[in-house]
């Protein structure tokens, strides 16, 4: 009898090994594609790289990379909290951070969803539940957007209104309505068909869930404020003049709103292009526009560097 079981165990082990190898190679290919896309993007910007080779600029870029890395860590912690809540088990932060950071470069691929797909694959490889990972991703999107909205309205409600008016159109509103109705129907069908969806909705009614969501909201707010503060630092560094208090508020708000627009507009890889358009619009007729736009280029380099730091940190096993 034992001899009959052994081959099945061997086959299961072989299948699991092959599955993990497939995930590994898929992840590596997506990472290479993301790096190629980023290289092509920076090449097309026609940046005067010589101007960025000063000690001051290079030091700022590496400091910015470290700040960006910390921002990603905060988002990874919030994602871990959500997955742990729905799986009802303790998930070590290093394990969750490794999954999160290995997948993070995928956001630079066209479509802006590859990092979510990679995260699901790597989470499955690490033994995390697929359904719990999906919920973690869904609530991360909701939490990040809520954090951006709260920060944007707190810093400048007027800029939020300007941005809404600039992007609002009947066509866009109709498209969003279709997406909302379609999403609601899909959720209703899933609720009717799948027991785990009903269980998750039941969990979301609990006070413990909203406590965890509010805690995550603070993580997301800190992550965004770190990146927005980095923009102020770069404007100061490139302009050789410390921005006034009102300018600091303006720069932080412009960055957060541009980040939110790049986050919610479908198909923009890493918000590339969208953020720059929003920053140009919100700083029009503003004397600091040129400095902010130049700072955005340096900021983009720093955040990419931060994502690379995170990927290498996780890939080399330094989070274990």
């Amino acid at each position: 009898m034992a001899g009959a079981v052994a081959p099945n165990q061997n086959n299961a082990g072989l299948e699991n090994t092959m599955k993990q190898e497939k995930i590994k190679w898929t992840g590596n290919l997506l990472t290479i594609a993301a790096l190629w896309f980023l290289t092509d993007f920076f090449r097309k910007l026609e940046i005067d790289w010589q101007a960025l080779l000063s000690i001051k600029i290079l030091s700022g870029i590496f400091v910015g990379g470290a700040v960006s890395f910390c921002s990603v860590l905060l988002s990874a912690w919030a994602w871990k909290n959500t997955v742990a809540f729905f799986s009802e088990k303790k998930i070590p932060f290093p394990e969750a951070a490794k999954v999160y950071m290995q997948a993070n470069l995928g956001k630079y691929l066209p479509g802006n969803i590859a990092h979510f797909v990679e995260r699901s694959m790597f989470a499955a490889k690490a033994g995390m539940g697929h359904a719990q990972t999906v919920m973690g991703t869904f609530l991360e999107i909701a939490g990040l957007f809520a954090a951006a909205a709260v920060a944007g309205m707190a810093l400048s409600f007027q800029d939020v209104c300007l941005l809404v008016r600039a992007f609002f159109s009947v066509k866009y509103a109709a498209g969003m309505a279709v997406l909302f109705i379609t999403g609601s129907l899909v959720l209703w069908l899933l609720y009717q068909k799948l027991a785990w969806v009903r269980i998750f909705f039941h969990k979301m009614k609990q006070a413990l869930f909203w406590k965890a969501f509010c805690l995550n909201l603070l993580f997301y707010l800190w992550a965004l404020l770190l990146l927005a503060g980095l923009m102020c630092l770069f404007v100061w560094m490139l302009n050789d003049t410390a921005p006034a208090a009102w300018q600091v508020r303006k720069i932080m708000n412009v960055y957060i709103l541009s980040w939110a627009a790049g986050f919610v507009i479908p198909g923009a890889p890493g918000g590339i292009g969208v953020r720059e358009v929003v920053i140009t619009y919100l700083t029009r007729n503003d004397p600091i526009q040129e400095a902010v736009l130049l700072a955005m280029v340096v900021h983009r380099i720093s955040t990419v560097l931060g994502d690379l730091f995170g990927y290498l940190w996780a890939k080399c096993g330094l989070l274990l």
Side-chain angles (χ1 to χ4, degrees), residues 205-247:
K205 296 177 182 178
Q206 299 174 6
L208 192 60
F209 165 79
W210 291 105
K211 181 180 177 181
F213 184 81
C214 289
L215 177 63
N216 286 349
L217 191 62
L218 291 177
F219 279 115
Y220 294 135
L221 277 169
W222 275 111
L224 287 175
L225 290 173
L226 274 177
L227 295 177
L230 190 60
M231 272 291 289
C232 295
L233 175 65
F234 287 145
V235 170
W236 183 2
M237 185 177 67
L238 294 167
N239 216 26
D240 290 323
T241 306
W246 71 268
Q247 290 176 320

Side-chain angles (χ1 to χ4, degrees), residues 1-11:
M1 198 72 175
V5 174
N8 291 334
Q9 291 177 337
N10 289 336
N11 289 338

Side-chain angles (χ1 to χ4, degrees), residues 96-107:
K98 181 179 179 180
V99 169
Y100 193 95
M101 291 189 168
Q102 281 190 91
N104 207 38
L105 282 178
K107 69 186 179 185

Side-chain angles (χ1 to χ4, degrees), residues 20 23-32 34-35 69 72 76 79 94-109 114-123 125-126 128 306-320:
Q20 296 218 0
I23 290 173
K24 176 184 174 182
W25 282 105
T26 302
N28 288 339
L29 288 172
L30 287 173
T31 299
I32 292 170
L35 290 172
F69 172 72
V72 178
W79 180 77
E95 184 179 321
K98 181 179 179 180
V99 169
Y100 193 95
M101 291 189 168
Q102 281 190 91
N104 207 38
L105 282 178
K107 69 186 179 185
Y108 295 109
L109 287 170
H115 55 307
F116 297 137
V117 176
E118 283 188 79
R119 196 183 301 169
S120 184
M121 289 193 307
F122 292 140
K125 183 182 176 182
M128 300 180 194
D307 288 332
L308 284 172
F309 283 163
Y311 177 81
L312 294 173
W313 187 283
K315 199 70 175 174
C316 294
L318 298 176
L319 283 168
L320 296 177

Side-chain angles (χ1 to χ4, degrees), residues 32-320:
I32 292 170
L35 290 172
W36 178 86
F37 185 84
L38 278 170
T39 303
D40 187 59
F41 167 74
F42 283 117
R43 181 182 61 80
K44 290 177 179 177
L45 281 180
E46 299 181 355
I47 298 172
D48 181 8
W49 295 102
Q50 292 294 326
L52 301 178
L53 292 180
S54 69
I55 297 298
K56 182 175 73 170
I57 301 293
L58 288 176
S59 299
I61 287 173
F62 276 94
V63 169
V67 171
S68 177
F69 172 72
C70 292
S71 175
V72 178
L73 275 179
L74 287 169
S75 294
W77 193 290
W79 180 77
K80 186 271 299 183
N81 287 345
T82 304
V83 175
F85 173 80
F86 284 105
S87 61
E88 295 184 344
K89 67 177 183 180
K90 188 175 181 180
I91 296 176
F93 174 67
E95 184 179 321
K98 181 179 179 180
V99 169
Y100 193 95
M101 291 189 168
Q102 281 190 91
N104 207 38
L105 282 178
K107 69 186 179 185
Y108 295 109
L109 287 170
N112 202 20
I113 60 168
H115 55 307
F116 297 137
V117 176
E118 283 188 79
R119 196 183 301 169
S120 184
M121 289 193 307
F122 292 140
K125 183 182 176 182
M128 300 180 194
H130 176 71
Q132 290 83 357
T133 304
V134 170
M135 286 302 296
T137 295
F138 174 75
L139 289 170
E140 177 184 61
I141 294 170
L144 280 167
F145 185 73
V150 168
M153 287 188 286
L155 289 167
S156 176
F157 185 72
Q158 182 181 4
D159 280 347
V160 174
C161 294
L162 281 172
L163 191 61
V164 170
R165 283 201 296 268
F167 278 89
F168 181 82
S169 67
V170 174
K171 185 178 179 180
Y172 184 77
M176 293 301 292
V178 170
L179 282 175
F180 178 78
I181 294 169
T182 303
S184 300
L185 286 173
V186 170
L187 281 176
W188 182 80
L189 289 172
L190 291 175
Y191 185 86
Q192 298 296 319
K193 298 287 185 181
L194 301 175
W196 65 265
V197 175
R198 293 193 290 273
I199 292 171
F200 283 178
F201 269 94
H202 176 70
K203 284 178 175 291
M204 290 171 69
K205 296 177 182 178
Q206 299 174 6
L208 192 60
F209 165 79
W210 291 105
K211 181 180 177 181
F213 184 81
C214 289
L215 177 63
N216 286 349
L217 191 62
L218 291 177
F219 279 115
Y220 294 135
L221 277 169
W222 275 111
L224 287 175
L225 290 173
L226 274 177
L227 295 177
L230 190 60
M231 272 291 289
C232 295
L233 175 65
F234 287 145
V235 170
W236 183 2
M237 185 177 67
L238 294 167
N239 216 26
D240 290 323
T241 306
W246 71 268
Q247 290 176 320
V248 168
R249 188 172 178 176
K250 176 76 174 180
I251 294 164
M252 292 184 72
N253 189 57
V254 162
Y255 175 78
I256 288 173
L257 292 180
S258 69
W259 181 93
F263 184 67
V264 300
I265 291 178
I272 289 175
V274 175
R275 293 181 192 174
E276 289 75 11
V277 168
V278 172
I279 286 175
T280 302
Y281 176 75
L282 291 178
T283 58
R284 67 195 187 285
N285 302 322
D286 197 309
I288 63 169
Q289 184 186 68
E290 186 177 345
V292 172
L293 288 173
L294 182 56
M296 188 63 204
V297 175
V298 180
H299 192 284
R300 173 68 72 179
I301 296 171
S302 291
T303 53
V304 170
L305 188 63
D307 288 332
L308 284 172
F309 283 163
Y311 177 81
L312 294 173
W313 187 283
K315 199 70 175 174
C316 294
L318 298 176
L319 283 168
L320 296 177

